[in-house]
Amino acid sequence: MDAFAEVSDLGLGAALGEAVLSLQGATLDAELNRIVGSVFRHSTAAYVRERPRPGADDAALFCAASPETYYVLSGKNGNYNEADVHKLNVLASLTSGLFATRAQLDQRHSASAHAQLQQMQILDQIHESVITMDLAGFIISWNRGAENLFGYAAGEAVGKNILFLYEDEELDGLRLFDAFLEQGGREMEVRRRKKSGVVFWASLSLSPLCDPGGQPIGIIGYLSDITQRKEAEQKINHLAYYDALTDLPNRSLLRQLLDKSISQAQRNSTLSALLFVDLNRFKPINDTLGHQVGDALLRQVAERFRQALREHDIVARLGSDEFAVALPDINQHYHASLVAQKLLATMDAVFQVGDHELRIGASIGISVYPQDGGDAATLLQKADIAMVKAKRNADRISGSYAFYNHSMNQITAGRLYLESGLRRALDNDEFSVSYQPKVDIRSGKIVGVEALLRWKHPEKGWISPLDFIPLAEETGLILQLDAWVLETACAQARVWQDLGLAPFRIAVNVSAKEFTAALPVRVDAALSRHGISPQWLELEITESMLMHSAESVIAIMEQITAQGVVLALDDFGTGYSSLSYLKRFPIATLKIDRSFILGIPADRNDCAIAGAIIVMAKQLRHKVIAEGVETREQLNFLLQAGCDEAQGYLFSRPVAAEQISILLEKDFRDYS
């Protein structure tokens, strides 16, 4: 085994290399002293930084570890063997080689640092912002251009991840580097944030940063501020797509937005509608009073239209006195007619332009996707044709509207005719109230009545509640109708009270819109106004109104029942009432919907549902009344199931108030 192998076997080769290549100064000296001492266990050995002086120990061995340092072996008084000399020579040779390698590495590092310094000096002369990053996005270098652009000094930016400069919407760039490496260089326009917090537009160009082997180790980003150019582009774009007078989208942008909404309606299987609006009597105003007045009037019209529409609806000015409204998603065709009515209603109020009080109207044509067309151009054309029809048929100051589809026009016209008649009916005393008895199944006696609204149209005769009640709810007239029924029922109770009749409950239906914090006040006022006991009144509410704001609903209920008025839950079983809430509602009666009574006793499901409702109501200590009872078989089932009361044609149809006095004397157990 040679001396080199012996040194390696001692495990000191790696320690020697690590010491020379990584340590300096006193730390290096101490480690080399430890190593040489380990090699020569039975003698005095040392690593020194100067050659031993003659006479110090003439019997010592020494060998150069580097031009300036030596290994010294002493203490044997000249008795050194061949192995000692070889060990010392090998150790010195290894150390010398390592020092030479270190000198080369230091030279290369110095050259690299010098090159990097030169590179940074060059980059600092570039006006453009240059940033280098590793593949994880951490900043490696930051030139003076970047300092000027972002306001961060190099010391503040180097070492941070590039994401700290991103605007929020740019954070989807988290895959930026992966995509860059897959696809190559990228140029893009981005938004970045300065140290001051200002967000600006920048042109960003990316290039790869590779090692000598061509493998990517990072990315170089070149940025320049293009905010002024982007703002100029936005101004040009606005001029190209928006009306200068009203700041509404113009015809070109409308067609783009409408085509987009049609695509969305196609995906969602919904309807989309377009309203073409032409102002009536605008031209004489513009010609007589001048363009300044005309322009001011158009701006007011545009603002009224904006206020009348939903946030995602689109209103545009097509030119002159023509506007268009796109409704991106509607559930039914007639919803477009409701919007048309809202737009026409905006014309009712006087337009004040300077000293001039002006009145104008509009004609509106409606086309609907998909039946009238599958693109913006077709829908615009069809709506324009329908607008001409509406202009010919205008019969109101504010104007009128028409659908392109004739059959739909007839349906809508019928609804509009019914609505206008509904608004007149209260003033013309066309409404009346009929009363349908509620019978105690066991005693056969009337224990209450339900007040039912009836409408006799002067031309069409009796109108079904199924036709006019939903329309009244849509238009908001239901509040006036509910108030009128409550007043009429209380007035009738006073008549019956004056006749000496014992109080019985008159059930009045209350709509969801009326069930507000003001209802208890109105009920108390009506009772006081007519001087009747609360024992005369019962309010019927539906399940649907209990599903929203249950806590506030319960509070209103408790105020009503505190007055002595009882509450009944109508149409039970057709809604989605939570049973956990139901037990908290101060309800006296559950009313089984007639849809569950019709199939009794033949339909096992109807029997099961009706029976379950009765059992549950009994557990909650509520009375149960079944509506729509028409046969003896139905009544027998309800009697056996434990139902308390029944209402239906088996006993009586709704009748005039005068007939109730007679029916009160009747025993309905014989059902004759």
Side-chain angles (χ1 to χ4, degrees):
M1 178 180 295
D2 59 25
F4 179 81
E6 186 178 351
V7 172
S8 298
D9 286 345
L10 292 173
L12 299 176
L16 187 64
E18 183 177 355
V20 173
L21 295 178
S22 62
L23 302 179
Q24 292 181 358
T27 307
L28 175 61
D29 293 353
E31 180 63 11
L32 292 180
N33 269 297
R34 186 191 67 80
I35 291 173
V36 70
S38 299
V39 172
F40 297 96
R41 293 187 178 89
H42 304 296
S43 62
T44 302
Y47 169 77
V48 297
R49 286 194 172 270
E50 58 182 16
R51 183 172 179 167
R53 293 188 301 273
D57 187 352
D58 293 335
L61 287 176
F62 65 90
C63 192
S66 74
E68 296 85 14
T69 61
Y70 302 85
Y71 284 115
V72 178
L73 181 63
S74 61
K76 287 192 174 185
N77 299 316
N79 297 319
Y80 304 109
N81 59 31
E82 186 178 353
D84 292 335
V85 175
H86 277 289
K87 285 181 182 181
L88 191 64
N89 285 332
V90 169
L91 190 60
S93 177
L94 285 174
T95 306
S96 178
L98 288 170
F99 272 120
T101 300
R102 173 172 176 166
Q104 292 176 357
L105 291 175
D106 288 345
Q107 185 176 6
R108 289 178 186 175
H109 177 74
S110 176
S112 175
H114 180 68
Q116 288 183 359
L117 178 61
Q118 284 185 320
Q119 183 183 31
M120 285 306 299
Q121 288 174 342
I122 293 171
L123 291 178
D124 281 340
Q125 300 305 313
I126 300 175
H127 179 70
E128 194 174 38
S129 169
V130 182
I131 304 170
T132 60
M133 302 153 278
D134 65 16
L135 294 180
F138 288 93
I139 297 171
I140 301 170
S141 71
W142 180 269
N143 78 336
R144 190 166 296 147
E147 290 184 350
N148 296 334
L149 179 61
F150 288 98
Y152 291 100
E156 296 177 287
V158 172
K160 287 189 176 181
N161 195 285
I162 193 70
L163 295 179
F164 88 102
L165 302 174
Y166 279 37
E167 171 63 347
D168 290 344
E169 72 238 29
E170 294 286 342
L171 287 176
D172 58 0
L174 288 173
R175 272 201 80 250
L176 172 65
F177 304 124
D178 290 341
F180 166 73
L181 294 173
E182 293 167 4
Q183 303 166 14
R186 291 185 60 184
E187 291 185 6
M188 66 203 80
E189 293 178 350
V190 297
R191 287 164 64 84
R192 293 292 181 263
R193 186 185 298 277
K194 298 189 178 188
K195 184 177 182 179
S196 63
V198 173
V199 176
F200 67 100
W201 280 101
S203 173
L204 171 63
S205 176
L206 298 176
S207 298
L209 181 65
C210 299
D211 64 13
Q215 293 300 312
I217 59 173
I219 293 175
I220 306 175
Y222 306 88
L223 294 100
S224 57
D225 192 332
I226 58 169
T227 302
Q228 288 185 343
R229 175 168 68 80
K230 290 295 292 185
E231 289 176 349
E233 288 177 358
Q234 289 171 355
K235 288 179 181 178
I236 293 171
N237 182 73
H238 196 83
L239 290 173
Y241 291 108
Y242 287 84
D243 174 54
L245 179 64
T246 61
D247 205 36
L248 294 176
N250 60 16
R251 184 185 291 265
S252 178
L253 181 55
L254 172 70
R255 291 176 71 156
Q256 294 181 32
L257 295 174
L258 185 55
D259 278 332
K260 184 178 179 181
S261 72
I262 289 172
S263 298
Q264 183 178 346
Q266 187 176 24
R267 288 193 300 270
N268 300 337
S269 299
T270 56
L271 303 176
S272 186
L274 179 67
L275 283 63
F276 194 108
V277 185
D278 184 84
L279 302 184
N280 299 337
R281 298 187 303 279
F282 174 77
K283 190 175 184 301
I285 293 173
N286 198 50
D287 292 345
T288 304
L289 301 178
H291 293 296
Q292 269 193 320
V293 173
D295 289 350
L297 179 58
L298 289 172
R299 283 193 290 267
Q300 289 191 30
V301 170
E303 185 56 31
R304 290 191 186 185
F305 284 175
R306 279 196 196 98
Q307 296 296 327
L309 296 169
R310 300 173 298 180
E311 184 177 349
H312 63 279
D313 292 336
I314 304 162
V315 56
R317 184 183 177 218
L318 304 181
S320 185
D321 60 347
E322 294 177 340
F323 294 82
V325 173
L327 308 177
D329 59 287
I330 55 175
N331 296 324
Q332 299 292 336
H333 297 83
Y334 72 83
H335 288 168
S337 67
L338 295 177
V339 175
Q341 292 176 49
K342 287 179 67 176
L343 295 178
L344 293 176
T346 66
M347 300 290 184
D348 291 338
V350 170
F351 289 88
Q352 187 72 43
V353 181
D355 296 332
H356 304 286
E357 292 187 355
L358 306 175
R359 290 186 178 275
I360 59 172
S363 299
I364 302 176
I366 306 173
S367 58
V368 179
Y369 167 85
Q371 67 183 47
D372 296 331
D375 58 77
T378 304
L379 291 178
L380 270 169
Q381 180 190 23
K382 300 290 180 66
D384 193 0
I385 294 171
M387 183 274 296
V388 174
K389 184 195 301 183
K391 192 174 281 288
R392 286 199 304 264
N393 299 334
D395 57 355
R396 297 192 301 162
I397 293 177
S398 60
S400 64
Y401 65 91
F403 279 92
Y404 175 77
N405 183 286
H406 179 68
S407 61
M408 194 174 301
N409 224 352
Q410 287 182 320
I411 295 171
T412 305
R415 289 178 60 88
L416 183 60
Y417 176 78
L418 205 61
E419 181 188 340
S420 61
L422 194 59
R423 293 182 184 278
R424 276 195 320 267
L426 277 171
D427 296 331
N428 297 341
D429 294 328
E430 296 172 16
F431 289 110
S432 61
V433 173
S434 295
Y435 299 89
Q436 187 171 32
K438 297 180 178 182
V439 176
D440 182 284
I441 294 178
R442 286 166 180 75
S443 69
K445 294 295 183 180
I446 293 177
V447 291
V449 296
E450 181 178 2
L452 299 169
L453 183 64
R454 295 292 182 260
W455 179 21
K456 188 173 184 180
H457 192 279
E459 297 173 2
K460 292 185 171 292
W462 292 104
I463 306 293
S464 169
L466 297 177
D467 292 330
F468 73 83
I469 293 296
L471 185 60
E473 289 177 343
E474 285 181 15
T475 58
L477 290 172
I478 193 68
L479 295 174
Q480 298 177 50
L481 294 181
D482 281 356
W484 185 84
V485 173
L486 178 63
E487 283 293 318
T488 303
C490 288
Q492 183 58 53
R494 179 56 188 262
V495 172
W496 283 328
Q497 180 176 281
D498 291 344
L499 291 174
L501 299 179
F504 55 88
R505 301 287 182 184
I506 304 174
V508 175
N509 291 281
V510 177
S511 68
K513 289 185 177 180
E514 191 185 12
F515 204 83
T516 65
L519 181 60
V521 178
R522 289 200 297 272
V523 170
D524 185 61
L527 294 173
S528 300
R529 191 161 40 250
H530 295 285
I532 59 172
S533 163
Q535 293 176 302
W536 282 99
L537 191 58
E538 178 181 56
L539 299 183
E540 288 192 1
I541 59 178
T542 60
E543 279 188 274
S544 59
M545 71 174 63
L546 304 182
M547 294 303 295
H548 305 288
S549 304
E551 296 300 330
S552 60
V553 167
I554 291 174
I556 295 171
M557 287 180 168
E558 289 174 344
Q559 292 180 53
I560 292 172
T561 54
Q563 297 171 355
V565 176
V566 299
L567 295 172
L569 191 58
D570 196 10
D571 301 333
F572 187 77
T574 61
Y576 304 93
S577 290
S578 166
L579 296 181
S580 64
Y581 276 121
L582 186 60
K583 66 183 182 181
R584 296 174 55 199
F585 291 137
I587 299 236
T589 306
L590 292 183
K591 197 170 188 180
I592 305 176
D593 186 71
R594 67 187 310 273
S595 62
F596 301 121
I597 304 300
L598 290 175
I600 293 174
D603 190 314
R604 295 176 60 186
N605 290 332
D606 283 350
C607 291
I609 292 172
I613 292 174
I614 292 170
V615 171
M616 182 190 68
K618 294 298 183 183
Q619 292 293 325
L620 295 174
R621 299 180 181 178
H622 296 324
K623 285 188 177 181
V624 188
I625 179 170
E627 64 177 346
V629 179
E630 298 180 356
T631 67
R632 292 175 181 268
E633 290 77 14
Q634 292 170 346
L635 183 66
N636 289 336
F637 172 86
L638 294 170
L639 181 63
Q640 294 173 8
C643 186
D644 300 300
E645 301 172 9
Q647 174 184 352
Y649 286 180
L650 178 63
F651 308 108
S652 173
R653 291 176 175 271
V655 296
E658 294 76 16
Q659 293 180 263
I660 293 296
S661 301
I662 301 171
L663 293 175
L664 285 170
E665 302 297 326
K666 186 174 181 179
D667 185 345
F668 283 93
R669 282 178 297 186
D670 59 8
Y671 312 112
S672 55

